[in-house]
Amino acid sequence: KFSTTLAKDINNVEIPYHDHMNHDITGTIKVSDEGDLGEIKVMIHETSLMPSDIHVQPGATIIWTNYSKEGLHAITSGVMDSGQTEKQPISGLSETLKAELIHVSSKSSVILNLNEDSDNPGRYTSPFIPTSPGVYEIRVYGTIDGVEIDETFISMGGGGDFDDIVPPTSIQFPQKLTSDREITGAITEATEISQLALIRSNTLNTWVIISLVIGGIGIVVSCLSLGLQFRRK
């Protein structure tokens, strides 16, 4: 699954596009004020798009979802024919593109800088170490040659093409390392137990003090009683 949001200044145009993995799969995006607004969904099948031709308003978001069982698809703008040469990688986009990494379940996100590979111009990386398993989204946005780009990719758990992040315990050897969450949970539980013990200790001390006070009062009363008896005699 991947998507793009049209810039609001794109209007009264017709944009052809095709599947870069299968040039026979083509479609068009007509943009005008009379088109549909919001999220427009397109299904990708083995040899076709449904619908292949769509009519949208400026600012609409188009979402392509792969329902094909025969491999990957890559939607690319323009018309590809047998006489057209392959597109070349674009260098120098580190300053105009950003990537947002999103952990879906926690809704945590971070902005990553894209670093161009000096040995492979046009190839960009942004190293990170995921600390929580689950579904992730990668949003790439910015401009390429002045054209606004806003593409979102999601891992398989959300219907996308790349792997989810899984816990590392399955490949840890010889000992399984305790996760940060488990450590935090253990510390929290120990803190709660110690606080409960302190409350109980304080309560016990209070009862001891009360007992001592009551005992002292009893002794004083007894002494007064004896004194009164001696006086009466």
Side-chain angles (χ1 to χ4, degrees), residues 123-159:
R123 180 177 182 270
Y124 301 86
T125 61
S126 186
F128 69 94
I129 300 176
T131 56
S132 294
V135 178
Y136 280 76
E137 286 184 353
I138 300 175
R139 174 183 170 229
V140 180
Y141 64 96
T143 60
I144 298 178
D145 293 336
V147 178
E148 289 191 13
I149 300 296
D150 195 333
E151 303 282 348
T152 300
F153 307 89
I154 191 167
S155 61
M156 289 183 177

Side-chain angles (χ1 to χ4, degrees), residues 1-7 10 13-18 27-32 35-44 49-66 75-77 149-153:
K1 177 188 291 186
F2 45 96
S3 64
T4 185
T5 299
L6 299 176
I10 297 178
V13 296
E14 188 169 295
I15 305 170
Y17 68 93
H18 66 278
T28 58
I29 304 171
K30 182 179 179 181
V31 186
S32 73
D36 297 324
L37 188 61
E39 292 186 351
I40 313 301
K41 297 182 179 180
V42 178
M43 296 183 291
I44 305 174
L49 300 167
M50 186 180 295
S52 59
D53 302 320
I54 55 178
H55 187 188
V56 301
Q57 292 186 28
T61 298
I62 305 168
I63 302 173
W64 288 270
T65 303
N66 185 9
I75 299 301
T76 306
S77 62
I149 300 296
D150 195 333
E151 303 282 348
T152 300
F153 307 89

Side-chain angles (χ1 to χ4, degrees), residues 161-194:
D161 296 325
F162 63 93
D163 292 336
D164 297 333
I165 300 300
V166 297
T169 52
S170 60
I171 58 174
Q172 290 178 349
F173 178 83
Q175 292 182 330
K176 307 293 185 183
L177 299 179
T178 304
S179 68
D180 292 341
R181 289 185 178 181
E182 292 174 332
I183 294 174
T184 302
I187 293 174
T188 301
E189 183 178 359
T191 302
E192 291 175 350
I193 292 174
S194 63

Side-chain angles (χ1 to χ4, degrees), residues 5-146:
T5 299
L6 299 176
K8 292 187 177 181
D9 58 352
I10 297 178
N11 200 357
N12 298 319
V13 296
E14 188 169 295
I15 305 170
Y17 68 93
H18 66 278
D19 181 359
H20 192 66
M21 310 303 292
N22 183 349
H23 300 168
D24 293 330
I25 299 178
T26 62
T28 58
I29 304 171
K30 182 179 179 181
V31 186
S32 73
D33 294 331
E34 291 75 31
D36 297 324
L37 188 61
E39 292 186 351
I40 313 301
K41 297 182 179 180
V42 178
M43 296 183 291
I44 305 174
H45 296 287
E46 283 79 1
T47 59
S48 63
L49 300 167
M50 186 180 295
S52 59
D53 302 320
I54 55 178
H55 187 188
V56 301
Q57 292 186 28
T61 298
I62 305 168
I63 302 173
W64 288 270
T65 303
N66 185 9
Y67 287 89
S68 171
K69 298 180 180 180
E70 295 186 356
L72 299 177
H73 294 266
I75 299 301
T76 306
S77 62
V79 177
M80 176 71 80
D81 56 36
S82 58
Q84 187 172 349
T85 59
E86 292 289 334
K87 294 183 179 180
Q88 297 299 316
I90 301 176
S91 183
L93 298 180
S94 296
E95 301 298 325
T96 63
L97 288 181
K98 295 286 186 182
E100 181 182 15
L101 180 66
I102 304 167
H103 182 236
V104 174
S105 62
S106 66
K107 298 182 180 179
S108 300
S109 65
V110 64
I111 304 300
L112 304 174
N113 293 320
L114 297 178
N115 304 309
E116 187 168 6
D117 188 341
S118 58
D119 295 327
N120 296 282
R123 180 177 182 270
Y124 301 86
T125 61
S126 186
F128 69 94
I129 300 176
T131 56
S132 294
V135 178
Y136 280 76
E137 286 184 353
I138 300 175
R139 174 183 170 229
V140 180
Y141 64 96
T143 60
I144 298 178
D145 293 336

